Amino acid sequence: MIEIQNLSKSFTLHNQGGVAIPVMAGAHLRVGPGECVGLVGRSGAGKSTLMRMVYGNYLAGAGSIRIGELDVVTAEPRQILALRRAVLGHVSQFLRVVPRVPTLEVVAEPLLRLGVAPDAARARAAELLARLNIPERLWRLSPTTFSGGEQQRVNIARGFAHDYPALLLDEPTASLDAQNREVVLRLIEEAKARGAAILGIFHDEGARDRVCDRLVDVTGFTPGLAA
Amino acid sequence: MTDQAYNFAYLDEQTKRMIRRALLKALAIPGYQVPFASREMPMPYGWGTGGVQVTAACLTPDDRLKVIDQGADDTTNAVSIRRFFQRTAAVETTERTADATVIQTRHRIPEQPLAEGQVLVYQVPIPEPLRFLEPRENETRKMHELEEYGLMHVKLYEDIARHGEIATAYAYPVRVEGRYVMDPSPIPKFDNPKLAGNPAIQLFGAGREARIYALPPYSDVVSLDFEDHPFTASKADHACDLCGAGSSYLDEVITDDRGSRMFVCSDTDFCASRQAQGHRGRLSPQGATP
Amino acid sequence: MTLMQNAITAAPLLSVQGLTKRYGPRIGCADVGFDLYPGEVLGIVGESGSGKSTLLSCLAGHQRPDQGRILFDGADVLGFSEAERRRLLRGDWAYVHQNPRDGLRMGVSAGGNVGERLMAVGARNYAAIRESATDWLGRVEIAADRIDDRPSAFSGGMQQRLQIARNLVTGPRLVFMDEPTGGLDVSVQARLLDLLRGLVRDLGLSVVIVTHDLAVVRLLADRLMVMKSGRVVETGLTDQVLDDPQHAYTQLLVSSVLQV
């Protein structure tokens, strides 16, 4: 489902003397349906950079990232947008929403964008928020005022609202208590069971051991760090 | 006797020809505002300089002229314009609608139906019906050109929103021959139906704004409205207190400082003719209807 | 995958090629080209004088470009007669001005402002016009009992929402927006952005939005076009351009802004 070949990337800092910093070279990776692959490597090795490239958030230098039938590296923006809408989900560490929008709407939005009927979208959002123990009295409020842990759970609910065939998870269990961590791990297991291909970064070793089928060390893709 | 110092009907022949060309163009494009080189007249703007120039361009020595202001032949404005043409053109004048060949009017259409061969000349203060909502002249011209008349209904919408009905009671906008939206000059909307299908030629002159427009005989003229708020030609719900007429446009006259009032025909010729025929109203000196 | 297929096979709603506008020797905008697809929001960013406003006014038909082509739904807009162009501007297209006073009739009630476009395209039933106006005021969160108030009695945020309602009432397919959140307080901006996002999603609008506010495009635009000195220096997915800018100018622009 997700197939990365010979991927490379460097940042050119035009306003700092045009210095070019290579951050990735020769990355290879494959995630099949129903599989969860964890990215490991020390901080700064490029785990987040790789995830961002897969999501189309960072531009790749060379190589290919195939998700289903689309190569993200050469795709048109609108193709990537369509991919993000229907195929590729992403749970980031940061919740970025329009202030003032109620939590329930934030979670339902990915479904609304797909054309799901508002009632059905909100019902699904409510189900996920309840599962993630966000008290119902908060659903009408904007998540911008929530605690870090609550925001993280809203973000997860939003990321799991639609049954994406492929999912990117960036530390989904960070800053969660044991009970909610368990809920998130179950959600991941359920996604795998329905055939989703998952690529994730898990600093929580217990979580990593439980949901990941394989681990890929990105240090091997880092220019200057490769052994 | 013509005052020899003036050309016939005051204006020089070249000016009259210029105005006639504008009139012909206006008749050819009903409702369209034709610019013309409006002249200084020996009277202030607002006293009918547009109408006077159109009348001057139309008059021939054989014409019989009637001038009315608010329907009356005996008001200052009507009297002075009538005298003006008596002196400069020596044409015959009349107060009888049926006898006149040219009628210059301010704010009314005579009650007596007009006939073929008659010319009705309106004095127009503001020729542009769209100006109320769109002050830019180049924009209103463009709107006429492209038939963008949604704005006209915005005005009527505002009326209904504010007053529960279309409160515009005079200068009520009309659409001519399905094309141009036209300001019929400040006639009461009661007179609007008389604009349509009228056998007479109707000419409109705006002196200050230097515009002429026209309705040829038997023009199709429709008062703008909404499906659910149709146009109605309303008048005061009374009969004339002098001649008893029930279907003429009435002026309300306050008769003392204790709130007494009477309603009389605004068309003085119409009222006088009816009284001469023996019709009587509530306050007729002779008392009740015979 | 059907949604993906649809998105990829649909024809562009607006296709711009080689658009150039000069003011004497000075370049307003030069050789601008892009495709905008149904339901897409394109943000155009750049500092003052970058040509983004010139581009928008050429696109919206307020100015005539010197060169280039603008195809709307396959039709060559620059070849349109004045009448056709203006019909487009009150039907399929809409234009939201930065200053609501430029886009509203200040002497006409809120209901009349919203109803005008309906009457312009032939609506002649007062009750139906009023019902549409009430519905649209609700959609932009203006209380129904304000329908007969003039916009001069409204706050800046309300005026802007009224302008949006006035523009969207006839169901346009393409909306041009010039700094729509420009003169508004931050809290009011957020509300407007949320509203716009909802409308864009629910109505499937295509939008070209010009702004210098990167936070606005981050939340509203799918794609971004960065302009400098009249030329497009970078295009791409909004988050990609903001998070991984490639061009020196974009990097400067992004790094000059407090966290967006």
Side-chain angles (χ1 to χ4, degrees):
Chain A
M1 187 65 206
I2 303 175
E3 187 162 0
I4 298 173
Q5 285 184 340
N6 205 20
L7 192 66
S8 67
K9 161 106 192 135
S10 64
F11 288 111
T12 306
L13 306 178
H14 292 286
N15 299 302
Q16 290 170 43
V19 58
I21 305 167
V23 291
M24 189 161 294
H28 284 269
L29 185 69
R30 196 177 174 287
V31 187
E35 197 180 19
C36 178
V37 173
L39 296 177
V40 293
R42 64 180 175 80
S43 183
K47 300 184 293 292
S48 290
T49 300
L50 183 59
M51 292 273 277
R52 282 166 168 253
M53 285 161 76
V54 174
Y55 198 58
N57 179 229
Y58 279 5
L59 223 50
S64 71
I65 303 166
R66 299 198 70 82
I67 296 169
E69 49 202 273
L70 189 72
D71 181 359
V72 173
V73 175
T74 56
E76 295 280 318
R78 66 197 181 94
Q79 294 174 307
I80 295 177
L81 288 170
L83 182 83
R84 288 178 180 183
R85 249 193 317 272
V87 180
L88 181 64
H90 183 212
V91 177
S92 70
Q93 287 177 274
F94 306 102
L95 183 68
R96 182 122 55 188
V97 294
V98 180
R100 200 189 81 103
V101 180
T103 297
L104 192 72
E105 296 297 314
V106 167
V107 175
E109 205 201 1
L111 292 169
L112 294 172
R113 284 180 71 103
L114 278 166
V116 174
D119 286 351
R122 288 191 191 111
R124 170 72 175 150
E127 176 199 327
L128 281 162
L129 286 170
R131 243 185 112 177
L132 285 155
N133 302 301
I134 303 287
E136 193 167 343
R137 63 189 159 78
L138 298 181
W139 296 359
R140 287 279 118 215
L141 306 179
S142 163
T144 44
T145 54
F146 290 6
S147 72
E150 283 166 340
Q151 288 197 4
Q152 174 69 349
R153 280 178 276 149
V154 171
N155 220 6
I156 289 164
R158 183 178 158 90
F160 281 89
H162 169 57
D163 288 339
Y164 296 99
L167 264 175
L168 303 174
L169 305 177
D170 191 352
E171 301 226 43
T173 55
S175 65
L176 295 186
D177 58 36
Q179 189 196 358
N180 284 310
R181 174 175 173 273
E182 179 59 27
V183 175
V184 173
L185 293 177
R186 290 241 175 91
L187 281 170
I188 297 171
E189 284 165 349
E190 285 165 22
K192 285 175 66 179
R194 65 170 168 78
I198 299 174
L199 184 62
I201 300 172
F202 304 87
H203 284 163
D204 172 353
E205 282 183 35
R208 188 199 296 162
D209 294 344
R210 180 162 150 195
V211 296
C212 291
D213 301 293
R214 285 185 293 120
L215 298 178
V216 171
D217 188 343
V218 298
T219 314
F221 310 146
T222 317
L225 282 182
Chain B
M1 264 302 290
T2 314
D3 192 326
Q4 292 301 314
Y6 297 110
N7 190 40
F8 178 76
Y10 183 75
L11 292 174
D12 65 89
E13 292 306 311
Q14 289 305 323
T15 298
K16 287 193 276 186
R17 289 172 68 180
M18 174 273 293
I19 294 171
R20 287 177 198 136
R21 280 196 296 272
L23 288 169
L24 288 174
K25 181 168 179 183
L27 284 163
I29 317 169
Y32 171 72
Q33 297 168 48
V34 182
F36 79 108
S38 182
R39 296 290 193 252
E40 290 292 329
M41 297 302 286
M43 61 188 74
Y45 289 122
W47 286 69
T49 55
V52 166
Q53 291 180 76
V54 170
T55 299
C58 290
L59 280 180
T60 67
D62 299 332
D63 272 317
R64 223 169 8 256
L65 178 68
K66 171 183 165 77
V67 182
I68 47 174
D69 176 8
Q70 303 271 21
D73 295 88
D74 53 2
T75 51
T76 316
N77 195 221
V79 169
S80 53
I81 291 173
R82 193 161 56 230
R83 284 208 191 121
F84 175 76
F85 283 115
Q86 278 171 334
R87 184 168 164 201
T88 61
V91 290
E92 229 184 293
T93 60
T94 179
E95 296 193 358
R96 294 185 54 80
T97 300
D99 293 344
T101 54
V102 176
I103 303 170
Q104 179 168 335
T105 179
R106 173 172 174 264
H107 294 194
R108 275 311 309 276
I109 298 175
E111 303 289 352
Q112 158 100 35
L114 301 177
E116 282 184 19
Q118 289 186 300
V119 177
L120 184 61
V121 178
Y122 297 78
Q123 300 171 199
V124 180
I126 298 169
E128 180 48 72
L130 297 164
R131 187 169 305 157
F132 173 77
L133 293 164
E134 178 52 73
R136 291 170 295 180
E137 180 74 14
N138 60 343
E139 182 66 16
T140 54
R141 274 190 227 178
K142 188 68 81 184
M143 290 159 91
H144 282 295
E145 177 192 340
L146 302 173
E147 294 185 61
E148 290 180 0
Y149 289 134
L151 200 53
M152 216 57 253
H153 275 85
V154 173
K155 182 179 186 298
L156 302 180
Y157 169 94
E158 291 288 287
D159 260 9
I160 302 172
R162 205 156 300 148
H163 308 289
E165 58 178 3
I166 299 178
T168 300
Y170 61 92
Y172 192 105
V174 295
R175 186 135 194 204
V176 180
E177 294 289 336
R179 179 60 182 83
Y180 286 97
V181 165
M182 187 189 95
D183 181 323
S185 87
I187 58 171
K189 67 175 175 180
F190 173 80
D191 282 343
N192 269 29
K194 298 183 213 159
L195 294 163
N198 199 316
I201 292 176
Q202 302 176 77
L203 305 174
F204 299 78
R208 179 171 23 211
E209 305 222 4
R211 292 287 184 280
I212 281 170
Y213 50 100
L215 297 172
Y218 306 108
S219 290
D220 174 32
V221 181
V222 176
S223 301
L224 302 181
D225 62 3
F226 288 101
E227 293 158 9
D228 47 349
H229 285 265
F231 171 83
T232 49
S234 60
K235 64 178 274 285
D237 191 17
H238 291 272
C240 173
D241 286 330
L242 293 180
C243 77
S247 60
S248 67
Y249 190 72
L250 300 172
D251 284 337
E252 185 178 353
V253 182
I254 306 296
T255 51
D256 59 29
D257 59 1
R258 294 187 306 278
S260 304
R261 54 192 188 154
M262 65 187 291
F263 290 92
V264 294
C265 292
S266 95
D267 185 333
T268 51
D269 169 54
F270 177 76
C271 196
S273 307
R274 278 179 55 86
Q275 291 179 61
Q277 288 162 20
H279 295 284
R280 293 291 175 267
R282 184 174 65 93
L283 298 175
S284 296
Q286 291 86 347
T289 314
Chain C
M1 297 291 274
T2 32
L3 265 160
M4 269 201 72
Q5 302 295 350
N6 284 346
I8 288 155
T9 48
L13 185 67
L14 183 73
S15 183
V16 177
Q17 298 152 15
L19 208 69
T20 300
K21 173 76 187 171
R22 292 186 200 84
Y23 300 106
R26 206 164 58 76
I27 286 173
C29 63
D31 201 27
V32 178
F34 65 87
D35 285 334
L36 184 71
Y37 289 83
E40 236 181 1
V41 179
L42 173 70
I44 303 176
V45 296
E47 58 198 7
S48 304
S50 60
K52 59 188 195 302
S53 298
T54 299
L55 174 61
L56 191 71
S57 69
C58 286
L59 292 175
H62 299 166
Q63 289 194 74
R64 199 171 171 82
D66 298 314
Q67 281 162 40
R69 299 215 315 153
I70 300 172
L71 301 176
F72 175 71
D73 216 2
D76 184 357
V77 175
L78 295 174
F80 274 18
S81 69
E82 174 87 359
E84 289 172 313
R85 197 178 62 76
R86 287 175 69 120
R87 198 170 302 130
L88 205 55
L89 283 171
R90 55 174 200 265
D92 271 341
W93 289 12
Y95 192 100
V96 176
H97 294 262
Q98 172 173 10
N99 185 344
R101 305 183 80 92
D102 295 334
L104 291 172
R105 291 194 190 278
M106 299 304 284
V108 169
S109 69
N113 263 289
V114 177
E116 182 179 346
R117 269 174 78 106
L118 292 170
M119 294 182 244
V121 295
R124 292 292 179 265
N125 187 296
Y126 176 81
I129 291 165
R130 204 157 164 87
E131 197 180 310
S132 290
T134 308
D135 174 44
W136 268 98
L137 290 179
R139 290 215 220 179
V140 298
E141 301 168 17
I142 294 175
D145 63 6
R146 303 299 302 270
I147 190 169
D148 293 330
D149 292 349
R150 292 192 177 173
S152 45
F154 289 2
S155 68
M158 276 175 83
Q159 287 181 3
Q160 195 57 296
R161 281 180 274 130
L162 179 62
Q163 189 193 182
I164 288 164
R166 170 179 159 89
N167 269 284
L168 298 186
V169 65
T170 48
R173 289 192 284 162
L174 176 60
V175 184
F176 298 103
M177 296 186 188
D178 183 12
E179 304 269 12
T181 59
L184 303 175
D185 292 342
V186 178
S187 61
V188 179
Q189 275 191 21
R191 185 175 183 189
L192 189 71
L193 282 174
D194 169 36
L195 181 78
L196 286 173
R197 250 161 74 113
L199 291 172
V200 165
R201 184 190 64 216
D202 297 344
L203 305 172
L205 297 174
S206 299
V207 179
V208 177
I209 176 170
V210 159
T211 179
H212 65 273
D213 189 338
L214 298 183
V216 167
V217 285
R218 164 85 78 181
L219 292 172
L220 213 51
D222 300 310
R223 286 196 296 130
L224 220 51
M225 223 161 75
V226 183
M227 293 190 69
K228 180 181 190 302
S229 308
R231 291 175 192 279
V232 176
V233 294
E234 182 162 357
T235 65
L237 276 176
T238 300
D239 58 293
Q240 182 261 301
V241 172
L242 294 179
D243 294 340
D244 185 17
Q246 305 295 303
H247 190 275
Y249 176 70
T250 317
Q251 291 185 358
L252 187 67
L253 199 66
V254 170
S255 65
S256 310
V257 174
L258 302 172
Q259 207 61 52
V260 287

